[in-house]
Amino acid sequence: MKNYFNVIKTALSCLLIAGMLGFTQQVKAQKEKPNVLLIMADDLGYSDLGSYGGEIKTPNLDELAYNGVRFTQMYNSARCSPSRASLMTGLYPHQAGIGFFAGDRPNNPPGYRGKLQPRAVTVAEVLKQSGYRTFMTGKWHVGEPAPTEQGFEQFYGFDHGYAANSWNEDMMIRLPEGADKIEYGDGEFFDSDAFTDYALKFIKDAEKETPDKPWFTFVSYHAPHFPVQAPQKYINRYKKKYQAGWDQLREERLARMKRIGILPEDAELSPRSSIPLPRVAKEHGVPGDLESNPAWSEIPDDRQKDLARRMAVYAGMVDNMDDNIGRMVEHLRETGELDNTLILFVSDNGACAEWGPYGFDLPQRMLDAKKPGQGIGGGTPGLPSKLYKGEELDEMGGPGTGIAYGSGWANVSNTPWSEYKHYTYEGGIGTPFIAHWPDKIKGKTEGAIRHQPSFLFDITATIIDVAGADYPEKFDGNEIEPLEGKSLMPVMFGRTLEERPLVYEHTGNAAIRYGDWKMVGKNVLDGQGMVDNPDWKLYNIAEDRSEIYDLSAEYPQVLDKLEQKFMKEAERTYIFPRPGE
C-alpha cells in the first residue's frame, strides 16, 4: 500500500511539474518580444574594461562582450547630460533640448533649454505604448520632470545633480512617491549595490505580476563618476597595481588592445593629453610645463602614492559595478530569461580629467547633503587636491572622502586616444559598447568586433527595432522630431550602415565625422556661430584615430567641405543658434 501511494504521489508530482513547464512555455510563447536591459556607466574611459584592453577586473562585462558583439567606434556627446538626452530620445542632444547641461533655461535657444523638449519622446514612452514594463535606477540628469513622468513606471536613484556621494542614502529618491523601499542598515548602503538591488526588485516584481509582458530596465550607474569611491575590498585588489604610474599603464593597455583586436597593429599612442585648467594645476604644485600631463617620473614620491591610491579607488569602483552587473545576469540565467534579453552596455562620455593631474577633493558640504533626490551639483568643485599620506591613504575612497582621480589617470582610461570628457576629440566621445542577446547573437556573430561608426541615438533605434515598437510622429499632442538613429541589428550580423555625417558640439568644442575624415576643434564656436579663423584640426581616422597627425594644411579642400557640412548639420540639429557667451 505504501508503494502504491508513492507511485500516485510521484505521478501527481510529474503532472504538476509538466503543468508548470507547460505554463512556462505558454508564457514564453506569449512573451515574443525580448526584454531589454540597458546599462550606462558614468565617465568610464574607452579602455577601462578588460575586453577593451584594461587591467581592471571586469569578468562579467567581458563575458557579455566575448559572447556578444563589441563596437569599437561608438560615439557619445562628450558629457553626461547631452549623452543621456541622446540615449533617451534617439536624437542629437540639441534636438532633444539639452545641448549643454540639465537645468531649466526657457530663454535659451531651442537646443540649450536644459530639459527634454516636447518635440522629443523617450524610449521608455515608446516602449510603454508597445506593451513593455519600464523601470529605471540610478542617475537621471536630463532635467525635469522626473523619470516617472517621462515613461518609467518605477524609479530609484537621484533625479537632480550630476553626481552623488555613493555612501549617502539621503541623496536618493524613490518614485512614485509612497512606493515600497528596501531597508539598509548602518554601513550597508553603497549606491551601485542599491541601484542593482532595485533593478532586480523591479524585474522580479514584473515577473510575478505580468509574466507575459516584456520589460525595459535602464540601469544608469553613477560609477565611476567623481566622487570616486568604492568598498574597501575592491580597492585592496589594486593596492599596488598603479604604483608603476600612468606612462607604463598606457603602454601596457595599448599592447593588450592590439592583441585582442580592438586596435590595429599599427595604432599609435597619442602624446600625453592637455591639462584642462593649467592655472589650477600650477596652484596644486604640478611639475612640468603645464601644457600637458607631466611624466610620472617627474611626480614627487608622496604624490605618486596619493595618485596610485586614487586610481586604485577608481578601479575598485568599476570592479564593484561589474560585480553588480553580474548579479543581474545571474538572475536572468537562473530564471531562463537570459537568452531572450538584449543586454546593452555603454558609457556616457570619455574619462573625466577634472581639473588637472592631481584631481581634486569635494567639499564636505557636498558629501553631506540630506535632501533626497538632490545629487551633487551647482558648479565646479574648487577644492585643491588633498595630499593623502600614511594611514590616510587607507581612508581614501571610503565614507567621508570624495576624490577625483585627475587628468593623468583619465589619459590612461582613454588609452590610446587624446583628450577627455568635455572635448570632441576621440578621448571625449569614444565609448565601449557591448551588445549581448543569445537568441540572436550566436555562431559566427558571437564574440564579433564591429568597426561601424555609430552614435548613442543608434542604440535607441536598435531598442525600438527589436521591441517591434512604433516611433510616433506625434506624442501627447506634440509633433515629434524624426528618429535620428539607425538600428544596429544589421551591423551585428556583418552589414554596414549607409555613410552619414556625425556631428558633435559641447561648450563650443565641436567636430564632424564623415567617412574616414574627422574635423575637430576646441572653442571653435561661440554665441554668434563659428569664431573667426577657427582652429580646426583634420584627421584621417582610418589611419590615425589617435589624432596625432593634423592634415588640415595638406588637405584644405577636405577641411572646407567638412566645415560646410558641419554648418549645414549644425543648423538642422539645433546646434545653431547657440546661447550668447
Side-chain angles (χ1 to χ4, degrees), residues 550-577:
D550 176 19
L551 302 176
S552 56
E554 190 173 347
Y555 295 96
Q557 72 280 10
V558 175
L559 193 70
D560 287 344
K561 288 181 180 178
L562 287 178
E563 191 174 84
Q564 292 172 26
K565 194 173 286 290
F566 175 83
M567 293 297 288
K568 182 179 178 181
E569 287 295 288
E571 293 281 358
R572 182 182 72 82
T573 63
Y574 301 95
I575 291 174
F576 294 138

Side-chain angles (χ1 to χ4, degrees), residues 131-167:
Y132 273 73
R133 304 292 304 276
T134 56
F135 314 116
M136 180 182 170
T137 66
K139 176 177 174 176
W140 177 236
H141 209 209
V142 288
E144 296 178 339
T148 47
E149 297 177 60
Q150 299 195 67
F152 291 100
E153 296 175 40
Q154 304 282 338
F155 173 77
Y156 178 82
F158 57 103
D159 63 343
H160 288 75
Y162 54 71
N165 179 354
S166 296
W167 300 103

Side-chain angles (χ1 to χ4, degrees), residues 69 71 344 433 435 441 445 448 450 462 488-494:
V69 176
F71 282 64
L344 303 168
F433 173 55
I441 301 172
T445 307
R450 299 289 183 238
T462 304
L488 296 173
M489 286 307 296
V491 178
M492 295 182 195
F493 293 95

Side-chain angles (χ1 to χ4, degrees), residues 182-398:
I182 298 172
E183 296 295 328
Y184 295 98
D186 290 343
E188 290 181 351
F189 182 85
F190 188 75
D191 66 0
S192 289
D193 300 340
F195 298 154
T196 309
D197 292 341
Y198 274 93
L200 286 169
K201 170 182 167 49
F202 297 156
I203 291 169
K204 290 175 182 178
D205 287 349
E207 289 166 349
K208 293 176 184 176
E209 298 162 1
T210 51
D212 59 327
K213 280 192 170 188
W215 46 258
F216 167 57
T217 301
F218 178 31
V219 183
S220 178
Y221 285 111
H222 164 244
H225 192 290
F226 69 78
V228 178
Q229 301 165 320
Q232 193 66 232
K233 70 174 183 178
Y234 291 96
I235 302 172
N236 287 341
R237 294 175 182 176
Y238 304 93
K239 207 165 186 177
K240 297 182 179 180
K241 183 65 186 176
Y242 296 104
Q243 293 174 3
W246 48 60
D247 292 321
Q248 180 174 323
L249 267 293
R250 290 183 79 211
E251 294 284 355
E252 291 175 358
R253 284 200 184 189
L254 178 66
R256 278 193 299 271
M257 295 172 84
K258 292 179 180 181
R259 188 164 61 247
I260 63 180
I262 294 296
L263 295 179
E265 280 299 320
D266 60 354
E268 296 183 58
L269 190 64
S270 63
R272 295 187 200 94
S273 289
S274 67
I275 294 174
L277 293 181
R279 175 187 58 79
V280 174
K282 184 177 182 180
E283 291 173 359
H284 288 187
V286 174
D289 59 12
L290 300 182
E291 290 185 4
S292 61
N293 293 314
W296 182 257
S297 59
E298 295 177 5
I299 306 292
D301 287 349
D302 55 357
R303 182 62 74 170
Q304 283 187 356
K305 291 183 175 67
D306 170 278
L307 287 168
R309 178 69 177 190
R310 287 173 187 262
M311 185 61 189
V313 178
Y314 176 92
M317 200 173 191
V318 176
D319 193 330
N320 170 264
M321 177 184 70
D322 182 80
D323 268 4
N324 276 295
I325 291 169
R327 289 170 57 203
M328 293 187 288
V329 172
E330 185 58 29
H331 173 75
L332 295 175
R333 185 177 285 116
E334 289 175 352
T335 57
E337 288 292 328
L338 184 61
D339 286 355
N340 191 42
T341 300
L342 172 62
I343 302 176
L344 303 168
F345 175 86
V346 72
S347 180
D348 64 346
N349 44 246
C352 177
E354 297 171 355
W355 287 106
Y358 292 173
F360 63 83
D361 286 69
L362 283 162
Q364 196 64 41
R365 60 179 173 77
M366 286 189 171
L367 300 174
D368 292 341
K370 296 295 183 184
K371 189 175 181 182
Q374 298 293 318
I376 293 167
T380 302
L383 286 186
S385 175
K386 176 181 176 180
L387 176 58
Y388 288 81
K389 296 181 179 181
E391 294 181 358
E392 286 184 328
L393 288 169
D394 292 331
E395 299 173 6
M396 194 190 292

